[in-house]
Amino acid sequence: DAGVIQSPRHEVTEMGQEVTLRCKPISGHNSLFWYRQTMMRGLELLIYFNNNVPIDDSGMPEDRFSAKMPNASFSTLKIQPSEPRDSAVYFCASSSLFLSTDTQYFGPGTRLTVL
Amino acid sequence: AQKVTQAQTEISVVEKEDVTLDCVYETRDTTYYLFWYKQPPSGELVFLIRRNSFDEQNEISGRYSWNFQKSTSSFNFTITASQVVDSAVYFCALLSGSARQLTFGSGTQLTVLP
């Protein structure tokens, strides 16, 4: 079975540019999570969705960040405009609300570098 | 509030040694789940194990074993006969109450030397 798929795997952009990260959750999972990992702050939850609806976006750092989940099989995280401090690894994870396990499975991550 | 503490920032062992990674958690909820994830140098986060708060039975999977003790709020991870391929950052995480987001510890960098 395919795991969580993220694209691109690496993104290098210049300050001020728009960046869009993409995620395809595991088929049948109905919860999706976006995390950011940095050396200074570790793994931080940015936002999560249940059944395509954003539930908690309190971790989104600024208005420059936005996330959407137009359907059960696709989500995007957009940064506009990007800044050097946004450089990090961004992970997407999914889990099943209907199973009691709540185990989150992570994608391979997108390494973002903003110059 | 939930909190996970991994006091060991870095551990270095020689191949075939046993090593234990410590994890201490804090939560006021009676129902919660504990996880361990592995992050190898390639960067992905790999799920290793999940335990719920009502099951204190220790678990063994090959060279891996986990010791869950509610009395000390600990969920420690032992690798027996370590191998170079075990080198990675290991994260302990907590999911408790109605919150569905994981609270991660800061991770332990394990280096297994040949």
Side-chain angles (χ1 to χ4, degrees):
Chain A
D1 288 342
V4 176
I5 298 172
Q6 290 186 248
S7 65
R9 295 292 309 275
H10 302 273
E11 177 80 32
V12 180
T13 190
E14 292 188 347
M15 183 173 63
Q17 296 297 306
E18 177 179 298
V19 175
T20 299
L21 311 182
R22 298 172 176 78
C23 175
K24 176 179 170 55
I26 292 172
S27 178
H29 282 188
N30 55 356
S31 293
L32 184 138
F33 306 79
W34 282 101
Y35 290 86
R36 178 171 68 176
Q37 185 179 33
T38 61
M39 289 295 292
M40 292 295 295
R41 300 174 68 89
L43 277 155
E44 309 173 272
L45 177 72
L46 300 177
I47 185 172
Y48 80 91
F49 297 82
N50 281 348
N51 297 318
N52 313 337
V53 177
I55 303 300
D56 184 353
D57 64 355
S58 59
M60 297 285 262
E62 300 172 31
D63 291 345
R64 299 183 296 105
F65 286 69
S66 63
K68 294 182 180 180
M69 192 164 186
N71 58 61
S73 59
F74 184 65
S75 177
T76 59
L77 178 68
K78 185 178 294 186
I79 308 172
Q80 166 63 19
S82 58
E83 297 182 3
R85 59 192 167 123
D86 302 331
S87 297
V89 180
Y90 291 82
F91 287 101
C92 176
S94 71
S95 68
S96 173
L97 185 59
F98 299 116
L99 297 176
S100 62
T101 62
D102 261 333
T103 297
Q104 294 180 23
Y105 295 91
F106 285 76
T110 295
R111 182 173 295 277
L112 172 65
T113 302
V114 182
L115 304 174
Chain B
Q2 294 82 34
K3 184 178 180 182
V4 176
T5 301
Q6 294 180 256
Q8 305 151 307
T9 304
E10 296 182 20
I11 299 176
S12 183
V13 299
V14 178
E15 204 169 20
K16 298 185 182 178
E17 288 184 359
D18 299 347
V19 59
T20 295
L21 310 181
D22 297 332
C23 173
V24 175
Y25 62 92
E26 295 177 28
T27 179
R28 295 179 180 174
D29 296 305
T30 56
T31 301
Y32 53 89
Y33 301 91
L34 294 162
F35 301 81
W36 276 95
Y37 287 85
K38 173 182 179 180
Q39 187 171 40
S42 51
E44 70 269 29
L45 278 162
V46 179
F47 165 72
L48 295 178
I49 189 171
R50 164 194 163 273
R51 303 295 288 175
N52 71 55
S53 53
F54 300 109
D55 183 2
E56 285 193 74
Q57 218 172 10
N58 293 331
E59 183 155 339
I60 298 175
S61 176
R63 296 184 297 105
Y64 294 172
S65 62
W66 291 270
N67 184 308
F68 176 27
Q69 291 195 345
K70 289 178 75 171
S71 60
T72 55
S73 297
S74 65
F75 185 44
N76 296 337
F77 174 27
T78 297
I79 301 175
T80 303
S82 60
Q83 299 177 0
V84 173
V85 294
D86 296 327
S87 297
V89 180
Y90 290 86
F91 290 95
C92 181
L94 167 70
L95 191 155
S96 68
S98 59
R100 300 202 64 236
Q101 57 265 44
L102 286 168
T103 299
F104 283 89
S106 54
T108 298
Q109 170 72 61
L110 173 65
T111 302
V112 181
L113 302 169

